[in-house]
Structures are given as C-alpha cells and as structure tokens.
Amino acid sequence: MLVALISLAALAATVYALVRAVRAMDLDKKEARSRYLSAGLFLALQAFVGVYAAVGMVENDILSALVLNAVLSALSLASACAPQMKERLAAYLGPQGRFPHPLVGAIIFVLLGGAFATLALEVPSNHNLLWMYPLCLLLEWGIVTALLGGLFLIFQRRAGVPSVLALLFFVLGLAEHFVITFKSMPIAPGDLSALSTAMAVAGTGYSYILNPFCLYGMAFAALAVYALRLAALIAPRNQGDKRALVVNLLAGVLCIAGVGAHVTMVDYYNQLNIQVYTWRPLESYYRQGFLPSFISGAQTIKPPVPEGYNIGTAKDLMAEYAEEYDAAEGASIERQQASAQFGEKKPAIVTIMNETFADLSIYQNLHAGYEGPQFYKNIPDALQRGILYVSAYGGGTCNTEFEYLTGNSMAFLGSGTYPYTIYDLARTESLPKQFRDLGYKTTAIHPNHGTNWNRENVYKTLGFDQFLTIKDFQDAEKLRGMVTDAATYDAILEMLESDESPQFIFDVTMQNHSGYETGLVPFDKQVDYPIDGMSDPEVNEYLALIEESDRALKDFLAALRKLDREVIVVFFGDHQPFFPDRFNEQWFPGEDEAAHAERLWQTDYIIWANYDVAGRDQESSVDDLSTNYLGSAMMNLVGAPMTAWEKAHVMLRRDLPALNATGFEDKSLRWYLSSAATAPEDYPKGSPVAEAIAARENLAKMQYFMMFRDGKDIYTKVFQSAANETDPNLAPGTTKIK
C-alpha cells in the first residue's frame, strides 16, 4: 500500500507542478494542450503503478517506488519544457556548440536510449547485471540501439515509433519476468509458435505481481523514451528536403538490415560461443543476456530436413524395416516365447536413469587402482549389459532421457539443442505412451523441482500419469542435501508392493549431481584414490557418490528378488561428470579422433529381470549400444509388443550399431565423427562405414517423420502447468499430470 500512496501522491504533485509550469509559460490553448500531452506517457505510467499497487499487485518496496516516481515526475516536467530544452541542447550540442551537425548530437541520445532500453529489457528478470558477460551486454546494446536508430531514421528523425519499440523491450522483459516466475524457464524461441495458447491461458491461475526490479525496468524504459525524444529535438526533420528524406530512409534501412544480416549470418553458438546448454537454461540467459541467448537458441532449434525426405519415403522405410524384423528376429522361437510370457505376466518395467553414473575406471583406472562400481560390474544374471553411448557430457540430463523415452537421436537435432524445452513432442512415440496403451500405470520420479528442463509439462506430453518431484520427498534421506538413490528405490518398492497393477516407472535420480567440492560426504562414506599420487577432493567426492549408488542398487535388486511379482529393471547413467576430459587428454594422446571423443560420451547400462525371461539367457551378455536404441532393445528382449519404429531400430543396428550427437559406429565397431556422414563419397561403396552412413540417412528420415511430420508446428506449446490436481487414487502428495 505504501507504493500506491507514493505513486498516487507523486502523480498529484506532478500534475500540480505541470499545470503551474505550463500556465507560467503563457501559451495558447493548443500549445498548452500539446505540452500536457507530451507528459502524458509518464503520467500514465505513474497512474498505472499507483492503481496497480492499490489492488495489491506491486511488492511493497519503498526504494524502487521512490526511484521510479522521481524519474517519471522529472521526465513529465522536462517533457512540458521541450522548446526550452531544445534551445539549450542546440546551444551545447548543435553547430554552434560541440558538433558540426545536429545529427551527431542526436546519435548520442539514440545510443543513450539504446542503453536504457537494454536495461529495461534485462533488469526485470536479470537482477545482477554484474554477473553478465560484458561482451554479451555490449552485443545486446548494439542490437537494441541499431534497431532503435534504424526506426528513428526511417521515420525521419521522429521519436514516436522507436519509443514504442523501447517500451516493447520493457514489455518483453516484463514477460520474461512472469514466465520465469510461473515456469522457472526463460522465454524460448519455440514459445513463439504458441502465442494463441498462451493468450488463452494467461488469465488462469496466475498473479502478475510487479517486483522492485520491474519498477526499475519501467524507469529505464521511460528514460529510453525521453532520450529518443531529445534526439528528435536536436535533429528534427528538414521539411521539404527530399535529399535528407532519402538519406535518412537509406541509413535507417541499412541499420535494420544490418541487424537482420548479423543474426542470420553470424553463428552465435560456434563463432560467438553464446550457448544455451546448461542444465537450467536460466543461467545462460542471465550470463549472456536475453537477446543473445534467444538468438542463439533460434539459430539452433530448426531441425534440418534430411536430404531426399518426404513423408511417404519415411513411412515406406519404416515398413520395410518392420517387415524384415517380423521375418527374422520377430519370427524366432526365442522372441515368440518371450512375447507369450510377457502377455501373460505383464511384468512391471522400472527404468533408473542414475545421475552422472559412469565407470571412470575406463581412464586407466584413474592411475589410482580404481576398479569402478564393483556390484554393478559383477551382476551375473542380467539379460544384457554394455557400454551406453549418450549425447550428453557433464550435463544435459534431459537429452539422455529424451533419447531413451522416445527412441529419437540427438545426432540429427543439432548441438546445444534441448528437445524438452524446444519441441512439441506430442506426435512422437514414447515408452510411457506405449505402456499406458497396454494398460500400465505410468509414473515418473525426479526428486528435484518439476520445472527443471520443463519436465512437468513434457512428462504429461510423453504419457506419464503422475510425476513425483521434490515435494514428494521432503522427509527422504539426503546426501549432500540431495535425495539419495535409495530413497527413490524405496518409493518404487512401495508402489510395486501396494499396487498389483502393471506399472511403468521412470526414476531420474539426483544424488550424484555436481558439483563435487561440497565436502558434505560423511566421513564413513568417503574414499581416497590418489591420482598419480595426488589426492583430488573433487574426484574423491564423485567416486564416493558412485559407491553409494552401487550400494543402493545392490540393496534394490536384492529386494526385487524377494518381491512376489515380475519386474524388469533398466539401469543406466545419463552422462559422465564434467572432469574426465583432462584425463582423456593427458593419458590418451595421439589416438583416433572419434574413439578419443567417444570415451567421454559413454556410460553403462544393464537390463535385468527378477524372473527367468522365456527364451532368453540371463548371463549378462554384452551388447554396446546408444541411448536411442536402449528402449527398443529392452522391448525386444522381454517380449513386449513393439512398434514399427522399434522394429526398425533393431534392424538398423546391423549396419549402425550405435550413434550419438558426437559420432556413429559401423558394424566393424569403428567410430567416426558425425562430420564423416556428410561425405559418403569418401568411402568405398559397400564398406562398413558406407553402409553405416546409408543406415544413418535412413534413420534421419524416419526420425524426422516421427518427430516433425511435415515440419510444421514443431515447437513447444504453452501448457497449463497450474492445472494439476490431487487425485485420491494416487500416492499421498503426488500430483496428477492433466
């Protein structure tokens, strides 16, 4: 209420002072009305804040209210004194002052207006600009200023249209603030395809409260508008001067065109190193600025259309591969036995994507005698196990789960792309949809915020009935402040024991998340592996966590062995931690480039059952594959009904055993970087690599069809995340995804 009082009192005082000032000028009615109108925008902003605060929609911060109203009052009075201001500026900045041409002074104020407009965009959501990279801030200022300057010149040195753009930058910053408040996600390029949906749900369940930074942003927007007005006062249009009209128009068009050429021709991701790739995109936006991050994302989200692609060709390819599967693997006695058993028993399917679980003994035992997670490595009765080639390193968890749940590969989606936050996945197949159609209850678990990677929306789209988040693990056991693997396994066991219905459960653990210099691992759980005789606290903390994961997995599988129902477990790590690259560079010099890279982009997986799967040997047979194939491999092994997409995966692996965002493997088990696929003519026809490239091209066409169909309406929609409701049939505290 104090903000309302300050704003309304300031408005009244400003109006009073404005009326007195205009009357003192002894102007005719027309000129007096013009002076009042020139202050109208700033008075309107004051009135808006006062009324908005009076209804409780502005945080009660006195300092921001005082600053905003001081700025608005001052600008209102200054606007009413425009002729006097023009004379003073002309005397100081015009031809008789410091500059030979008034346009030079105008450019100074346009540059200043661009700076204020940039701050109006950033400040409402980005509260610590000192954390922002200076060059990114400079780049954003340059883009904003060029746009404002271009409009200023195109409209013949008038301030009206560029002022509207400056206000729109503030509105965009305000929208960013509200989107972050509601979704814990920044505005992504894909959201532009869902504006109609956003407008439809904008008034439902949301409170649009302005915080102090929103008020500061409004103050900067007002200063931007006034700076542009001063630019127009210094260098007004020369009436009737056609040459000046043409010059202004051409210069303005060049400014706008320059921005367009810059954002389309400069590769932000690779050339400027502006990348939205952290596990929480907000940090990228805070460090790099809204416009640079948004442009970088926009440049990378458009999936390339495979050469020769059309819907008919993709469907035919999938049908051909499916027919081959039905005639070969699908017709085998082993597969038929497993299928009959699956249809009868409908075993529970439990997938554990274990945070940063990897066997770092592949790095020459870390020069410390490290042998890796011992229980995991010595499970004797898995259906299948091996290396899992992933498309994430050091972070990017969501891309690994995307590949597993949908069977799509990041190999065709570009670097720095995160489908969960960009693409509309409603049309693509997914394991939870598939099992839900088979009569299974589908549950996702992630003991952290459901907004991370937009999961609360994506999981609904992918077919999960319910999603357990950190809210459901408030009293759970924690390690370093993170919910333990064991706590999530206990939740799974409770679901399996309390509900006999067939279930598909997907558990994304949190225990092993970086960083690894917290020092919070209890003494009795600590390990010490001196690397080349030197102890590394970061590595030791990570390895201690992996030992805890190994111990928890041992206890979980032991409990499942005693459980009186059939359960399939798929267990894998999402990516390696961020530090093994230094070991890779130091200890493996001079080796094949692709093999060298792939060592970083691999974890491990097992497919295990607590019962004898008919037709299958449970002797932990080894088969290295990539994450996009893992779901299909599991479905094939356990006898579950398979789609044509999954059957195609099984058959593709004859020529393309594995692929990820970094490279691909041929049937001779040799790895190639992804760039090799762009030059198939470099390899002999019929060679393993040529056949792998051909299979990769076929997979690209089928995947484009599975995800994008005709390439239209491919981006993320705005979901009604606030529409969740409690269902009495679910576990206590669990939210139902509507």
Side-chain angles (χ1 to χ4, degrees), residues 318-395:
M318 202 176 308
E320 290 173 11
Y321 280 116
E323 288 177 6
E324 290 181 28
Y325 174 88
D326 291 337
E329 175 69 19
S332 68
I333 295 175
E334 293 82 3
R335 167 66 187 178
Q336 292 178 9
Q337 289 176 342
S339 297
Q341 183 190 48
F342 185 93
E344 176 186 351
K345 295 184 177 296
K346 285 197 172 181
I349 309 294
V350 176
T351 296
I352 301 164
M353 191 176 76
N354 197 270
E355 173 66 37
T356 325
F357 185 90
D359 178 10
L360 298 192
S361 68
I362 63 172
Y363 296 97
Q364 298 180 357
N365 301 108
L366 295 179
H367 290 192
Y370 177 66
E371 298 293 338
Q374 288 303 293
F375 171 76
Y376 172 84
K377 293 182 70 171
N378 292 287
I379 295 174
D381 57 345
L383 284 164
Q384 189 170 291
R385 69 181 310 143
I387 293 172
L388 184 70
Y389 292 100
V390 299
S391 293
Y393 171 75

Side-chain angles (χ1 to χ4, degrees), residues 15-136:
V15 170
Y16 175 76
L18 184 63
V19 170
R20 290 198 59 179
V22 172
R23 286 179 177 176
M25 297 175 191
D26 194 24
L27 305 171
D28 60 41
K29 290 184 178 180
K30 183 178 179 180
E31 182 63 20
R33 188 182 306 112
S34 175
R35 300 293 181 92
Y36 290 136
L37 288 175
S38 67
L41 171 65
F42 308 117
L43 294 174
L45 291 175
Q46 273 187 310
F48 168 77
V49 173
V51 173
Y52 206 63
V55 296
M57 300 299 287
V58 179
E59 289 186 18
N60 200 28
D61 181 80
I62 297 176
L63 178 60
S64 60
L66 291 173
V67 170
L68 173 63
N69 283 283
V71 169
L72 294 177
S73 295
L75 296 182
S76 295
L77 295 173
S79 296
C81 301
Q84 295 90 325
M85 185 65 69
K86 179 179 179 180
E87 293 176 3
R88 293 177 183 177
L89 290 172
Y92 188 71
L93 299 176
Q96 306 304 319
R98 289 181 174 270
F99 303 115
H101 194 281
L103 189 58
V104 177
I107 291 174
I108 292 176
F109 279 107
V110 170
L111 293 173
L112 190 60
F116 287 138
T118 302
L119 293 172
L121 169 62
E122 286 293 334
V123 167
S125 62
N126 196 352
H127 303 160
N128 184 9
L129 292 182
L130 295 177
W131 201 40
M132 190 172 171
Y133 298 131
L135 290 179
C136 289

Side-chain angles (χ1 to χ4, degrees), residues 5 117 147 164 178 182 201 204 251 353 470 518 549-550 552 593 597 733:
L5 292 174
L147 292 173
V164 170
F178 287 128
F182 300 147
V201 303
T204 305
M353 191 176 76
I470 188 62
T518 68
S549 288
D550 198 38
E593 187 178 11

Side-chain angles (χ1 to χ4, degrees), residues 466-634:
Q466 58 181 357
F467 179 21
L468 276 62
T469 67
I470 188 62
K471 297 177 183 178
D472 304 285
F473 291 89
Q474 292 297 314
D475 299 322
E477 176 189 25
K478 294 180 175 64
L479 179 59
R480 303 182 311 142
M482 308 285 190
V483 175
T484 63
D485 294 354
T488 67
Y489 300 163
D490 289 342
I492 293 171
L493 288 169
E494 182 179 353
M495 284 189 282
L496 295 176
E497 291 169 349
S498 62
D499 189 344
E500 296 180 356
S501 303
Q503 298 187 55
F504 176 81
I505 301 171
F506 181 57
D507 179 17
V508 180
T509 69
M510 192 67 193
Q511 172 188 287
N512 304 335
H513 199 280
S514 61
Y516 306 114
E517 294 182 290
T518 68
L520 298 177
V521 176
F523 180 78
D524 62 337
K525 299 181 186 299
Q526 294 177 12
V527 300
D528 186 19
Y529 289 93
I531 299 173
D532 290 328
M534 297 291 293
S535 183
D536 187 323
E538 188 174 53
V539 175
N540 282 328
E541 183 165 319
Y542 169 78
L543 296 180
L545 296 171
I546 295 303
E547 288 203 6
E548 284 303 300
S549 288
D550 198 38
R551 186 178 299 111
L553 179 62
K554 178 180 179 181
D555 294 340
F556 181 54
L557 296 190
L560 291 180
R561 293 181 193 277
K562 299 176 183 178
L563 194 65
D564 188 23
R565 66 179 297 176
E566 291 77 13
V567 182
I568 303 290
V569 174
V570 183
F571 178 97
F572 60 95
D574 56 348
H575 54 73
Q576 293 184 24
F578 53 80
F579 53 76
D581 58 334
R582 67 178 188 261
F583 306 142
N584 205 35
E585 295 304 313
Q586 292 172 9
W587 301 338
F588 300 91
E591 66 179 345
D592 176 79
E593 187 178 11
H596 185 75
E598 287 299 337
R599 186 176 291 107
L600 296 171
W601 297 78
Q602 63 174 265
T603 60
D604 299 272
Y605 81 94
I606 58 167
I607 302 172
W608 178 91
N610 70 347
Y611 67 101
D612 292 330
V613 177
R616 306 299 186 190
D617 294 327
Q618 296 191 194
E619 298 177 352
S620 294
S621 61
V622 175
D623 187 8
D624 301 338
L625 45 74
S626 48
T627 320
N628 64 302
Y629 290 145
L630 181 56
S632 301
M634 179 270 292

